[in-house]
Amino acid sequence: MPQIGIPRALYSYYYFPLWQKFFEMLDCEIILSPPTTKKILSEGVKIAPEEICLPVKTFLGHCAYLKNQCDYLLVPRMVCMLNETQNLKYGCPKAIGLPDIVSACFSDSINVIELTIDERKINQRHAYYKIGQIFSKDNKKIENAYQSAITSELGLGFAIRKWALGVNFSIIRTSVSENHYIQPAIGLIGHPYLIYDAYISLSLIDLIEKFNIKVITPNDLNFQEINLDNNGQKKISSGQNRSKLNNTQIKNNTQIKNEATIASCCSMAQHRTQKHLILSRTSDYLKQLTKDVHWFYEQNIIKSAGYLLKNNLVSGLIFAFSFSCGTSAVVSEIIKKELLNYYQIPTLTLLFDEHTAAGGLITRIESFVDLIQRENYRYE
């Protein structure tokens, strides 16, 4: 049985369930690297070029861990994909060269399977079909593997979080999160392969939640609702009590769908007054912003931030990016300058690299939480 190594880094946070199902139905064994450790990151830093961002260095560390434990190593090349409006959007310019980086860093010591997604040339089905032919000559079997795989989705934010910590995916798919209440809410904007990797993000989500604050990430949102919300039709029930922080409770469900939960999702942000004209203007403007952003993952980040702001779901936004991530730097500036002109809430930008220390991070989080929890803080 061929063994396929999948690094627990970068695009695995988006596509691991799909890859797992696809290769298992082709009678392959999946070898998944463990959650990031000091040794894995150190190995990646030692191998990687200096100018590469932290998530890519982490990816290379996971590749080093897997190189002697599998027959093949899956390395994606995400070039260009169609979004929900059938417009072509591009991947990270640096990560597009990921197979080349791996080949250069490891020479011929790793047998790389290059999964190239470039829908300017071929659709995704054909891309997976080409990979499937390595392991089977049965066209029907490959087709069944692909059709089954595309229905496998990680989907839920809590599932990604637990998977990142090493919990078996087959267990967490059917598990139900415990109900507990955390208030108020902070939006944590960033790529899942950074914010959910507890080692390289220094357990950022846990750190924020220790202050009894709900953390909402892009993966916690239902993107079908976000896309529908672009027309400005999504409304929050006016019958909810929005005046008292101690009456606001948030069930830690994995999808924010219930309108009553949405209405009570944050505390201080619900005190600010939003004019209907501004809401209408930002609805139209958000559509234009996302249309003008040509990176598909960053487009979703902007949608998420806009959704959180428009629906008064958060009291503040934290931007968590790696130090040399060029696309994230652009997106954070777009959100700050274009969206936050209408929604005046506190923001904090956190940049991570291999030298980021926990002490400084804790101090900044404490200061930010203190800002949004002041009783006399009001939005105008």
Side-chain angles (χ1 to χ4, degrees), residues 38-83:
K38 180 179 180 180
K39 183 177 180 180
I40 287 176
L41 179 57
S42 297
E43 189 67 23
V45 170
K46 182 169 64 176
I47 296 170
E50 185 64 30
E51 65 275 8
I52 293 296
C53 66
L54 179 61
V56 174
K57 292 177 181 178
T58 305
F59 182 88
L60 293 175
H62 284 269
C63 291
Y65 177 91
L66 290 169
K67 70 176 184 178
N68 296 321
Q69 301 188 36
C70 57
D71 301 317
Y72 302 90
L73 185 71
L74 181 66
V75 182
R77 188 192 298 273
M78 300 295 181
V79 180
C80 188
M81 291 195 302
L82 292 169
N83 64 5

Tab-separated table of all heavy atoms in Angstrom, residues 38-83:
chain	number	residue	atom	x	y	z
A	38	LYS	N	8.795	22.421	18.493
A	38	LYS	CA	10.024	23.210	18.407
A	38	LYS	C	11.018	22.580	17.445
A	38	LYS	O	11.661	23.273	16.645
A	38	LYS	CB	10.650	23.352	19.791
A	38	LYS	CG	11.930	24.170	19.806
A	38	LYS	CD	12.494	24.302	21.220
A	38	LYS	CE	13.787	25.120	21.209
A	38	LYS	NZ	14.351	25.248	22.584
A	39	LYS	N	11.128	21.265	17.490
A	39	LYS	CA	12.067	20.568	16.608
A	39	LYS	C	11.662	20.714	15.144
A	39	LYS	O	12.512	20.953	14.273
A	39	LYS	CB	12.136	19.095	16.999
A	39	LYS	CG	13.143	18.295	16.182
A	39	LYS	CD	13.216	16.854	16.669
A	39	LYS	CE	14.232	16.063	15.838
A	39	LYS	NZ	14.313	14.652	16.298
A	40	ILE	N	10.366	20.567	14.861
A	40	ILE	CA	9.891	20.688	13.476
A	40	ILE	C	10.147	22.086	12.943
A	40	ILE	O	10.650	22.266	11.824
A	40	ILE	CB	8.393	20.329	13.396
A	40	ILE	CG1	8.193	18.826	13.563
A	40	ILE	CG2	7.789	20.799	12.075
A	40	ILE	CD1	6.741	18.386	13.595
A	41	LEU	N	9.803	23.104	13.727
A	41	LEU	CA	10.016	24.479	13.271
A	41	LEU	C	11.501	24.779	13.109
A	41	LEU	O	11.906	25.411	12.118
A	41	LEU	CB	9.383	25.459	14.250
A	41	LEU	CG	9.547	26.942	13.904
A	41	LEU	CD1	8.979	27.256	12.527
A	41	LEU	CD2	8.896	27.836	14.956
A	42	SER	N	12.313	24.328	14.042
A	42	SER	CA	13.762	24.577	13.959
A	42	SER	C	14.357	23.962	12.700
A	42	SER	O	15.207	24.563	12.043
A	42	SER	CB	14.464	24.016	15.197
A	42	SER	OG	14.017	24.666	16.368
A	43	GLU	N	13.866	22.772	12.361
A	43	GLU	CA	14.357	22.115	11.146
A	43	GLU	C	13.938	22.901	9.902
A	43	GLU	O	14.720	23.071	8.963
A	43	GLU	CB	13.813	20.695	11.069
A	43	GLU	CG	14.412	19.841	9.970
A	43	GLU	CD	15.880	19.541	10.188
A	43	GLU	OE1	16.340	19.594	11.350
A	43	GLU	OE2	16.575	19.250	9.187
A	44	GLY	N	12.714	23.408	9.905
A	44	GLY	CA	12.250	24.201	8.776
A	44	GLY	C	13.010	25.501	8.628
A	44	GLY	O	13.346	25.916	7.510
A	45	VAL	N	13.278	26.154	9.745
A	45	VAL	CA	14.039	27.410	9.715
A	45	VAL	C	15.442	27.155	9.181
A	45	VAL	O	15.998	27.961	8.418
A	45	VAL	CB	14.091	28.035	11.124
A	45	VAL	CG1	15.064	29.200	11.166
A	45	VAL	CG2	12.695	28.493	11.551
A	46	LYS	N	16.032	26.042	9.554
A	46	LYS	CA	17.386	25.716	9.114
A	46	LYS	C	17.442	25.443	7.616
A	46	LYS	O	18.400	25.800	6.928
A	46	LYS	CB	17.886	24.490	9.886
A	46	LYS	CG	19.297	24.078	9.555
A	46	LYS	CD	19.810	23.031	10.549
A	46	LYS	CE	19.002	21.754	10.459
A	46	LYS	NZ	19.552	20.698	11.352
A	47	ILE	N	16.375	24.847	7.093
A	47	ILE	CA	16.345	24.471	5.677
A	47	ILE	C	15.943	25.633	4.780
A	47	ILE	O	16.493	25.816	3.686
A	47	ILE	CB	15.351	23.306	5.468
A	47	ILE	CG1	15.830	22.065	6.202
A	47	ILE	CG2	15.165	23.002	3.988
A	47	ILE	CD1	14.791	20.962	6.241
A	48	ALA	N	14.999	26.440	5.227
A	48	ALA	CA	14.335	27.418	4.365
A	48	ALA	C	15.214	28.626	4.061
A	48	ALA	O	16.070	29.010	4.875
A	48	ALA	CB	13.042	27.887	5.027
A	49	PRO	N	14.998	29.254	2.905
A	49	PRO	CA	15.621	30.556	2.630
A	49	PRO	C	15.169	31.590	3.650
A	49	PRO	O	14.046	31.537	4.157
A	49	PRO	CB	15.116	30.907	1.230
A	49	PRO	CG	14.668	29.607	0.633
A	49	PRO	CD	14.198	28.763	1.768
A	50	GLU	N	16.004	32.549	3.950
A	50	GLU	CA	15.746	33.501	5.016
A	50	GLU	C	14.499	34.336	4.763
A	50	GLU	O	13.756	34.668	5.694
A	50	GLU	CB	16.958	34.427	5.181
A	50	GLU	CG	16.847	35.388	6.356
A	50	GLU	CD	16.800	34.672	7.692
A	50	GLU	OE1	17.391	33.592	7.816
A	50	GLU	OE2	16.154	35.212	8.619
A	51	GLU	N	14.233	34.673	3.499
A	51	GLU	CA	13.140	35.602	3.207
A	51	GLU	C	11.766	34.932	3.173
A	51	GLU	O	10.744	35.612	3.026
A	51	GLU	CB	13.384	36.300	1.868
A	51	GLU	CG	13.370	35.398	0.641
A	51	GLU	CD	14.712	34.725	0.375
A	51	GLU	OE1	15.613	34.843	1.228
A	51	GLU	OE2	14.856	34.091	-0.685
A	52	ILE	N	11.712	33.621	3.318
A	52	ILE	CA	10.435	32.904	3.277
A	52	ILE	C	9.661	33.157	4.567
A	52	ILE	O	10.218	33.287	5.649
A	52	ILE	CB	10.682	31.394	3.081
A	52	ILE	CG1	11.260	31.143	1.694
A	52	ILE	CG2	9.403	30.598	3.258
A	52	ILE	CD1	10.349	31.505	0.553
A	53	CYS	N	8.323	33.184	4.455
A	53	CYS	CA	7.478	33.467	5.624
A	53	CYS	C	7.448	32.273	6.586
A	53	CYS	O	7.807	31.141	6.224
A	53	CYS	CB	6.061	33.824	5.183
A	53	CYS	SG	5.161	32.473	4.388
A	54	LEU	N	6.991	32.534	7.794
A	54	LEU	CA	6.978	31.522	8.843
A	54	LEU	C	6.152	30.286	8.480
A	54	LEU	O	6.605	29.158	8.718
A	54	LEU	CB	6.468	32.148	10.150
A	54	LEU	CG	6.365	31.221	11.359
A	54	LEU	CD1	7.727	30.652	11.745
A	54	LEU	CD2	5.741	31.960	12.546
A	55	PRO	N	4.934	30.405	7.925
A	55	PRO	CA	4.184	29.189	7.575
A	55	PRO	C	4.899	28.297	6.570
A	55	PRO	O	4.798	27.069	6.660
A	55	PRO	CB	2.872	29.750	6.996
A	55	PRO	CG	2.698	31.059	7.674
A	55	PRO	CD	4.093	31.614	7.766
A	56	VAL	N	5.628	28.879	5.606
A	56	VAL	CA	6.371	28.055	4.646
A	56	VAL	C	7.550	27.381	5.336
A	56	VAL	O	7.865	26.209	5.064
A	56	VAL	CB	6.833	28.898	3.444
A	56	VAL	CG1	7.730	28.069	2.523
A	56	VAL	CG2	5.631	29.417	2.665
A	57	LYS	N	8.221	28.091	6.237
A	57	LYS	CA	9.296	27.459	7.011
A	57	LYS	C	8.750	26.299	7.824
A	57	LYS	O	9.379	25.238	7.915
A	57	LYS	CB	9.940	28.494	7.934
A	57	LYS	CG	10.729	29.575	7.220
A	57	LYS	CD	11.279	30.608	8.198
A	57	LYS	CE	12.052	31.703	7.464
A	57	LYS	NZ	12.555	32.752	8.388
A	58	THR	N	7.574	26.492	8.398
A	58	THR	CA	6.941	25.410	9.153
A	58	THR	C	6.611	24.236	8.239
A	58	THR	O	6.825	23.072	8.601
A	58	THR	CB	5.644	25.924	9.821
A	58	THR	OG1	5.944	27.063	10.617
A	58	THR	CG2	5.020	24.851	10.688
A	59	PHE	N	6.106	24.524	7.050
A	59	PHE	CA	5.795	23.472	6.079
A	59	PHE	C	7.038	22.650	5.756
A	59	PHE	O	6.984	21.415	5.699
A	59	PHE	CB	5.228	24.101	4.804
A	59	PHE	CG	4.819	23.115	3.749
A	59	PHE	CD1	3.541	22.587	3.742
A	59	PHE	CD2	5.710	22.713	2.762
A	59	PHE	CE1	3.161	21.664	2.767
A	59	PHE	CE2	5.345	21.805	1.787
A	59	PHE	CZ	4.058	21.275	1.793
A	60	LEU	N	8.157	23.314	5.548
A	60	LEU	CA	9.398	22.604	5.236
A	60	LEU	C	9.858	21.747	6.411
A	60	LEU	O	10.422	20.663	6.219
A	60	LEU	CB	10.488	23.606	4.840
A	60	LEU	CG	10.246	24.356	3.530
A	60	LEU	CD1	11.320	25.414	3.303
A	60	LEU	CD2	10.207	23.386	2.355
A	61	GLY	N	9.613	22.215	7.628
A	61	GLY	CA	9.935	21.408	8.797
A	61	GLY	C	9.100	20.137	8.846
A	61	GLY	O	9.601	19.057	9.193
A	62	HIS	N	7.819	20.244	8.481
A	62	HIS	CA	6.963	19.061	8.433
A	62	HIS	C	7.398	18.122	7.305
A	62	HIS	O	7.320	16.891	7.454
A	62	HIS	CB	5.510	19.473	8.236
A	62	HIS	CG	4.864	20.005	9.473
A	62	HIS	ND1	4.190	19.204	10.367
A	62	HIS	CD2	4.787	21.268	9.979
A	62	HIS	CE1	3.726	19.942	11.370
A	62	HIS	NE2	4.072	21.199	11.154
A	63	CYS	N	7.855	18.680	6.192
A	63	CYS	CA	8.377	17.846	5.109
A	63	CYS	C	9.601	17.061	5.573
A	63	CYS	O	9.753	15.874	5.257
A	63	CYS	CB	8.746	18.708	3.899
A	63	CYS	SG	7.343	19.443	3.042
A	64	ALA	N	10.483	17.727	6.318
A	64	ALA	CA	11.675	17.057	6.845
A	64	ALA	C	11.292	15.921	7.784
A	64	ALA	O	11.940	14.862	7.795
A	64	ALA	CB	12.566	18.076	7.562
A	65	TYR	N	10.242	16.129	8.557
A	65	TYR	CA	9.777	15.086	9.474
A	65	TYR	C	9.276	13.865	8.696
A	65	TYR	O	9.491	12.709	9.097
A	65	TYR	CB	8.664	15.640	10.364
A	65	TYR	CG	8.068	14.614	11.312
A	65	TYR	CD1	8.584	14.436	12.584
A	65	TYR	CD2	6.976	13.828	10.913
A	65	TYR	CE1	8.042	13.495	13.449
A	65	TYR	CE2	6.437	12.884	11.771
A	65	TYR	CZ	6.967	12.724	13.033
A	65	TYR	OH	6.433	11.776	13.881
A	66	LEU	N	8.618	14.094	7.568
A	66	LEU	CA	7.960	13.020	6.824
A	66	LEU	C	8.853	12.328	5.809
A	66	LEU	O	8.504	11.241	5.328
A	66	LEU	CB	6.735	13.583	6.091
A	66	LEU	CG	5.538	14.002	6.936
A	66	LEU	CD1	4.543	14.787	6.085
A	66	LEU	CD2	4.858	12.798	7.563
A	67	LYS	N	9.977	12.908	5.471
A	67	LYS	CA	10.705	12.458	4.285
A	67	LYS	C	11.156	10.998	4.345
A	67	LYS	O	11.259	10.341	3.301
A	67	LYS	CB	11.904	13.371	4.020
A	67	LYS	CG	13.033	13.270	5.021
A	67	LYS	CD	14.201	14.155	4.592
A	67	LYS	CE	15.382	14.002	5.540
A	67	LYS	NZ	16.532	14.825	5.104
A	68	ASN	N	11.396	10.481	5.527
A	68	ASN	CA	11.820	9.085	5.650
A	68	ASN	C	10.700	8.164	6.132
A	68	ASN	O	10.952	7.007	6.466
A	68	ASN	CB	13.012	8.981	6.610
A	68	ASN	CG	14.235	9.714	6.097
A	68	ASN	OD1	14.519	9.689	4.898
A	68	ASN	ND2	14.949	10.384	6.989
A	69	GLN	N	9.468	8.678	6.163
A	69	GLN	CA	8.366	7.887	6.703
A	69	GLN	C	7.286	7.577	5.684
A	69	GLN	O	6.285	6.959	6.022
A	69	GLN	CB	7.736	8.640	7.887
A	69	GLN	CG	8.705	8.933	9.025
A	69	GLN	CD	7.988	9.503	10.240
A	69	GLN	OE1	6.862	9.125	10.549
A	69	GLN	NE2	8.652	10.416	10.935
A	70	CYS	N	7.474	8.016	4.447
A	70	CYS	CA	6.432	7.804	3.437
A	70	CYS	C	7.069	7.567	2.075
A	70	CYS	O	8.247	7.857	1.853
A	70	CYS	CB	5.487	9.000	3.392
A	70	CYS	SG	6.302	10.577	3.069
A	71	ASP	N	6.258	7.042	1.161
A	71	ASP	CA	6.732	6.803	-0.210
A	71	ASP	C	6.629	8.062	-1.063
A	71	ASP	O	7.457	8.291	-1.950
A	71	ASP	CB	5.901	5.694	-0.856
A	71	ASP	CG	5.969	4.389	-0.082
A	71	ASP	OD1	7.088	4.025	0.355
A	71	ASP	OD2	4.922	3.745	0.101
A	72	TYR	N	5.596	8.860	-0.810
A	72	TYR	CA	5.369	10.084	-1.564
A	72	TYR	C	5.023	11.217	-0.599
A	72	TYR	O	4.450	10.983	0.462
A	72	TYR	CB	4.206	9.921	-2.554
A	72	TYR	CG	4.366	8.810	-3.551
A	72	TYR	CD1	3.898	7.531	-3.261
A	72	TYR	CD2	4.969	9.037	-4.786
A	72	TYR	CE1	4.031	6.497	-4.179
A	72	TYR	CE2	5.103	8.014	-5.702
A	72	TYR	CZ	4.640	6.745	-5.401
A	72	TYR	OH	4.771	5.729	-6.318
A	73	LEU	N	5.360	12.415	-1.021
A	73	LEU	CA	5.004	13.597	-0.234
A	73	LEU	C	4.115	14.496	-1.095
A	73	LEU	O	4.505	14.901	-2.197
A	73	LEU	CB	6.254	14.374	0.192
A	73	LEU	CG	6.015	15.563	1.127
A	73	LEU	CD1	5.616	15.070	2.517
A	73	LEU	CD2	7.255	16.433	1.228
A	74	LEU	N	2.917	14.783	-0.606
A	74	LEU	CA	1.985	15.620	-1.358
A	74	LEU	C	2.335	17.096	-1.144
A	74	LEU	O	2.322	17.585	-0.015
A	74	LEU	CB	0.553	15.359	-0.907
A	74	LEU	CG	-0.528	16.160	-1.632
A	74	LEU	CD1	-0.612	15.761	-3.107
A	74	LEU	CD2	-1.885	15.976	-0.958
A	75	VAL	N	2.629	17.792	-2.233
A	75	VAL	CA	2.961	19.217	-2.167
A	75	VAL	C	2.094	19.955	-3.184
A	75	VAL	O	2.250	19.771	-4.393
A	75	VAL	CB	4.449	19.479	-2.464
A	75	VAL	CG1	4.762	20.961	-2.337
A	75	VAL	CG2	5.334	18.662	-1.530
A	76	PRO	N	1.152	20.771	-2.735
A	76	PRO	CA	0.243	21.458	-3.662
A	76	PRO	C	0.878	22.701	-4.297
A	76	PRO	O	1.727	23.357	-3.706
A	76	PRO	CB	-0.933	21.845	-2.763
A	76	PRO	CG	-0.309	22.029	-1.419
A	76	PRO	CD	0.817	21.040	-1.326
A	77	ARG	N	0.432	22.980	-5.496
A	77	ARG	CA	0.769	24.236	-6.175
A	77	ARG	C	-0.551	24.919	-6.523
A	77	ARG	O	-1.159	24.652	-7.553
A	77	ARG	CB	1.600	23.980	-7.425
A	77	ARG	CG	2.154	25.267	-8.062
A	77	ARG	CD	2.714	25.023	-9.449
A	77	ARG	NE	3.820	24.108	-9.471
A	77	ARG	CZ	5.099	24.442	-9.298
A	77	ARG	NH1	5.415	25.701	-9.091
A	77	ARG	NH2	6.053	23.523	-9.345
A	78	MET	N	-1.009	25.789	-5.629
A	78	MET	CA	-2.290	26.457	-5.809
A	78	MET	C	-2.077	27.748	-6.595
A	78	MET	O	-1.691	28.773	-6.034
A	78	MET	CB	-2.937	26.754	-4.452
A	78	MET	CG	-3.210	25.512	-3.627
A	78	MET	SD	-4.432	24.466	-4.444
A	78	MET	CE	-4.560	23.123	-3.247
A	79	VAL	N	-2.341	27.683	-7.882
A	79	VAL	CA	-2.056	28.813	-8.765
A	79	VAL	C	-3.287	29.690	-8.951
A	79	VAL	O	-3.282	30.883	-8.659
A	79	VAL	CB	-1.551	28.322	-10.140
A	79	VAL	CG1	-1.250	29.526	-11.048
A	79	VAL	CG2	-0.323	27.458	-9.973
A	80	CYS	N	-4.370	29.098	-9.418
A	80	CYS	CA	-5.528	29.893	-9.816
A	80	CYS	C	-6.792	29.051	-9.686
A	80	CYS	O	-6.829	27.898	-10.133
A	80	CYS	CB	-5.350	30.353	-11.265
A	80	CYS	SG	-6.566	31.527	-11.841
A	81	MET	N	-7.823	29.621	-9.039
A	81	MET	CA	-9.090	28.923	-8.870
A	81	MET	C	-10.235	29.874	-9.157
A	81	MET	O	-10.098	31.090	-9.030
A	81	MET	CB	-9.223	28.362	-7.451
A	81	MET	CG	-8.276	27.225	-7.132
A	81	MET	SD	-8.748	26.317	-5.642
A	81	MET	CE	-8.745	27.614	-4.421
A	82	LEU	N	-11.369	29.287	-9.503
A	82	LEU	CA	-12.593	30.064	-9.683
A	82	LEU	C	-13.288	30.242	-8.341
A	82	LEU	O	-13.402	29.296	-7.563
A	82	LEU	CB	-13.538	29.348	-10.656
A	82	LEU	CG	-13.079	29.255	-12.116
A	82	LEU	CD1	-13.984	28.301	-12.885
A	82	LEU	CD2	-13.095	30.622	-12.766
A	83	ASN	N	-13.728	31.470	-8.065
A	83	ASN	CA	-14.480	31.690	-6.834
A	83	ASN	C	-15.961	31.458	-7.090
A	83	ASN	O	-16.368	30.979	-8.149
A	83	ASN	CB	-14.218	33.092	-6.267
A	83	ASN	CG	-14.704	34.197	-7.198
A	83	ASN	OD1	-15.318	33.948	-8.236
A	83	ASN	ND2	-14.428	35.428	-6.820
